Amino acid sequence: MSGILAAIRLRERGDDVIVLEKGATVGGTWRENRYAGLTCDVPAHAYTYSFAPNPAWSRYFATGSEIQEYFEGVVDRCGVREAIRFGVEVAEAAWQNGKWHVEAKDGSRYEADVLIAATGVLHHPRYPDIKGMDTFSGQAFHSARWPDQIDLAGKRVGVIGNGSTGVQIVSALAGVAAHVDHFQRSPQWIMPVQDFAYSEEERARFRADPAAIDAIRFDPEYVGNVRRFNNAIIDPASEAMAFIESIVRQNLEASIADPVLREKLTPDYRAACKRLIYSPSYYAQVQRDDVDVVRAGIEAIEPEGVRTRDGALHGCDVIVYATGFHADRFVRPINIVGRDGIALNDVWARRPSAFLAISVPDMPNLFMLNGPTGPVGNFSLIEIAEAQWGYIAQLIQRIESGEADEISPTHAAMASYEERRIAAAKTTIFASGCSSWYLDAEGVPQSWPWSYDRFFEEMRAPELSAYDVRTHVRAPT
C-alpha cells in the first residue's frame, strides 16, 4: 500500500522511479493474506487513498480480495505499473559516493539518490514452536500461506492463534467445516461492530456524489471513536478507556450465555493491551455445537491432530497456524549499510527505531513509510502513510532543489526522540501487562505513544534542526 503511494506521488513530481517488489503483483499484506473470512477492520471508505475514493465497495468492512482489487485498480489507473519490477527481492543496499547502490537476489543492480523503504511489517510468517509439527498426517499451513482453491467443507479444522486472523478464520469456517477447534493461549477482548452490504442504490449515490463517500469517511462518530481509542491507549486511567472496557465487557457478558464458555473467553488483561479485535460474529459462532474453544494448552502435534496438556487428542484433518508475523523486521532482512559502513542491523541490535518512524542517523536519504515506532493499531495505515509522505516529500524537495545532497536525522535528535518515546510508551495501555506483537524484546511498546493529533502535527513540516544536512559530498563523476 505505501509503496504504491510513494510511486504515484514521485511520478507526479516527475521523478525517475523504480519500484522493486519481491511478489508477483502489488497489494502487500492483501496479496499475502487470502484466508477465509479476511476483512479489514477499518471501514472501507476510510481505508482508501484520499485521491482515489472507491464508490464500488460492496460492504462497510471490505473483504481482503476486494481490497486487493482496489490496489490493483489504483496502480493501473495511476499508470505506475510500468515502474514496478515484479519478482525482484532486494538483498542489500549500500550508501557509497553519494548514492544508494541496491542489489537484488537475482543479481540485478540499481542506483538511486533516494531510497524509500515501503516494506511493511506483516509479511514474514511466524510459526509456533510446537513439538511434532512435522509429524502431522493432514494438511497444515500458515494463514498467510493459504492454499488457493482449498475446500474445507466437511473437514475437521484446528486453528492455532487468536489474533484478528484466528478470530476471522474461525468465524468464517463455523458451519462450513465439520468441526472447528480454536486453540488459544489467551482470549481476546472483542469490540462489537455492525457489518452490512451497500445496496446498488447506495453505490450509485457514491458514484454520483463524492460527498456521500466523505460523509462515511469523515463520519463524526467514526472519527470520534478513533480519537477516543487513541486517548484510551495513551491514558489507561482515562474515561475513554473506562468506556471501551465497559463496551467489550458488556459485549462478552451479553453475548455468551454459558458461564463455562464465558470464563474461557474472559481475558486476564485490560482491553486494548493486545490489539483490540473487531468482530460482528465471533461470539455467536463459537457457541455453535461444531465449534470448541480450547484453552488447555498444546502439548504436541501428532499425526492425527493436536494433543493438549490435559491429555486430550483433538482430531484434525487440517491445521491452520494463525500465529502472526515477525513484526520487528521492518526493512530487514535486507542488509542496509549507510555512511561509513554503519549497518542498520547493528543500529537496530537492541530494538528497531526510527526518528518519527521515518529515518535513521547515518542512513542518508533513506526514508521509511510505516517504519518502526509509527502509529499502529485500529487505525487506517493509508492515512498514516499519506501524512508521512507529505513530510518525506519536503525532505526530498530539498535534495532535488540542490539545497542538500544528504539528509538524515542527527544522533542527538534520535536519542532525544527515543528517550521521550520509550518513557511515554511505558505508560500506554500496551505496557499494562500482556504479551503482544507490539512489544520489543525488552517489553517496550513499539507503537507511537502520543496522540493521533500530535502525529499529524509532527508530519506537517520537518524541523531541520533535527537533521544532519550535508551538501557537495558526492565524488566527481
Side-chain angles (χ1 to χ4, degrees), residues 255-395:
S255 300
I256 305 297
D258 179 8
V260 175
L261 180 58
R262 191 187 311 133
E263 178 64 25
K264 282 185 176 182
L265 293 171
T266 301
D268 61 0
Y269 55 86
R270 298 189 63 182
C273 183
K274 296 177 185 284
R275 188 177 192 275
L276 199 59
I277 306 296
Y278 287 65
S279 176
S281 61
Y282 178 73
Y283 281 157
Q285 297 295 63
V286 296
Q287 294 178 85
R288 294 175 56 96
D289 292 338
D290 52 8
V291 178
D292 282 325
V293 173
V294 183
R295 290 284 310 281
I298 297 175
E299 178 67 28
I301 293 177
E302 301 179 3
E304 300 304 316
V306 179
R307 179 79 65 180
T308 48
R309 291 173 187 155
D310 58 4
L313 176 64
H314 303 264
C316 299
D317 302 307
V318 175
I319 295 176
V320 181
Y321 299 115
T323 46
F325 301 86
H326 293 280
D328 61 339
R329 293 193 179 178
F330 293 95
V331 67
R332 298 176 292 183
I334 300 171
N335 182 36
I336 304 287
V337 180
R339 184 187 292 130
D340 301 325
I342 294 173
L344 188 62
N345 279 330
D346 294 333
V347 176
W348 283 358
R350 185 174 182 182
R351 63 169 58 89
S353 188
F355 181 65
L356 298 178
I358 284 175
S359 52
V360 179
D362 299 316
M363 303 289 158
N365 305 359
L366 170 64
F367 306 115
M368 302 179 191
L369 289 165
N370 287 311
T373 75
V376 64
N378 303 87
F379 308 129
S380 171
L381 287 183
I382 295 182
E383 186 178 22
I384 299 301
E386 288 198 17
Q388 289 177 319
W389 183 256
Y391 183 101
I392 292 169
Q394 295 176 67
L395 295 175

Side-chain angles (χ1 to χ4, degrees), residues 38-62:
L38 174 61
T39 63
C40 183
D41 54 15
V42 174
H45 284 297
Y47 193 74
T48 55
Y49 299 115
S50 60
F51 54 85
N54 180 23
W57 290 125
S58 66
R59 307 189 63 81
Y60 185 71
F61 292 108

Side-chain angles (χ1 to χ4, degrees), residues 115-132:
L115 185 62
I116 306 295
T119 50
V121 291
L122 303 182
H123 57 102
H124 295 293
R126 180 188 294 275
Y127 288 84
D129 183 14
I130 302 173
K131 182 175 62 176

Side-chain angles (χ1 to χ4, degrees), residues 151-210:
D151 183 6
L152 296 178
K155 301 291 180 63
R156 298 170 301 163
V157 181
V159 178
I160 299 175
N162 194 35
S164 293
T165 296
V167 166
Q168 290 181 349
I169 291 172
V170 170
S171 299
L173 295 186
V176 175
H179 188 87
V180 179
D181 282 315
H182 193 187
F183 300 93
Q184 47 186 259
R185 290 182 298 184
S186 60
Q188 295 272 14
W189 290 112
I190 294 183
M191 179 66 72
V193 291
Q194 297 294 320
D195 189 19
F196 53 86
Y198 290 120
S199 67
E200 179 50 42
E201 290 75 16
E202 288 174 307
R203 291 196 293 273
R205 187 170 74 252
F206 296 150
R207 290 191 293 270
D209 183 12

